[in-house]
Amino acid sequence: MSTFMPMLYSAWDSDIAYSFRKSRVAVISTLLLLAMFLAAIFAPHLAPQNPFDIAELSLFDSELPPAWAEGGNPAYLLGTDTQARDVLSSIMYGMRISLVVGFASVILAAVLGVTLGLLGGFLGGIVDAVLMRIADVLLSFPPILVALLINGVLRGALPQSAQADSALIVLILSIGLTNWVQYARTVRGSTMVERRKEYIEAARTLGTGSVAIMVRHILPNVLGPVLVIATINLGMAVLTEATLSFLGVGMPPTQPSLGTLIQIGNEFLFSGIWWVVVFPAVALAVLVLAVNLLGDWLRDALNPKLR
């Protein structure tokens, strides 16, 4: 405890913390993300209804408009859908799935990309050439097409009965295996610069192995850009998941994410039940916008030229 408080004060007085306190955009984005994360994590305790529990649904309450509109019910703030599911509760539960897919796919892409980037930048030669040609091929296609291809291959390898239960894993793999290239190219460039520095030569002289040099010496010096990319890619991963679900190759209607809710609500958009699609779309837009704004601030805050 005696050492923790000085560390906390030191972190609070750092340049990054000062930049954060002075940036209204960063503070507001963080508060929005915190509120949405808490709403998603504690959805079973905060949501007015469990939209997956049939016992809590009543068809007499289906297609109710928002509470402030004519015919609305104060018990359903954002209205209900055609199956009497509370839209607000569906959004809170849907965000849980979207965020799980987003975080898991970002972690997968970061681990894979950083590992391959370190290997390519440090070893060079044919290893670097092969990895970068694979990266060039992936970058020549739009990410959503690559994700669709990987998603189709993974689904095709699974039996029909297991596809619904494995939809979450398939989405994480599809998005994660699509986004590793940015991490690999960034880490490769930084590694090629770091490996020529004197402290790396000193470590080699002392007999330190290649793996130890990459993990102990080079990796800590390339994590700054990786953190920025991961923050921005979180929004992209959530948006990619929503796109795949909207196209019908994501989460099933029995486990709806925000993208699935938009896809379901889109069928009733022109029948007057606009709130079923508008509110999940707004929640998705706010979530992605807040993540992107926070990532932009973090990129600037970690850039010494902009301090």
Side-chain angles (χ1 to χ4, degrees), residues 101-103 105-106 175 179 232-242:
V101 173
F103 276 109
S105 60
V106 165
I175 300 172
N179 294 329
I232 296 176
N233 271 3
L234 175 60
M236 294 177 58
V238 171
L239 200 57
T240 302
E241 182 279 323

Side-chain angles (χ1 to χ4, degrees), residues 207-225:
T208 307
S210 298
V211 175
I213 291 176
M214 286 189 285
V215 174
R216 296 178 187 174
H217 300 290
I218 297 180
L219 181 60
N221 291 315
V222 301
L223 286 181

Side-chain angles (χ1 to χ4, degrees), residues 20 26 29-30 33 231 289-299:
F20 176 79
S29 299
T30 302
L33 287 175
T231 304
L289 178 62
V291 171
N292 287 341
L293 290 176
L294 187 61
D296 289 342
W297 165 80
L298 187 61
R299 177 196 59 204

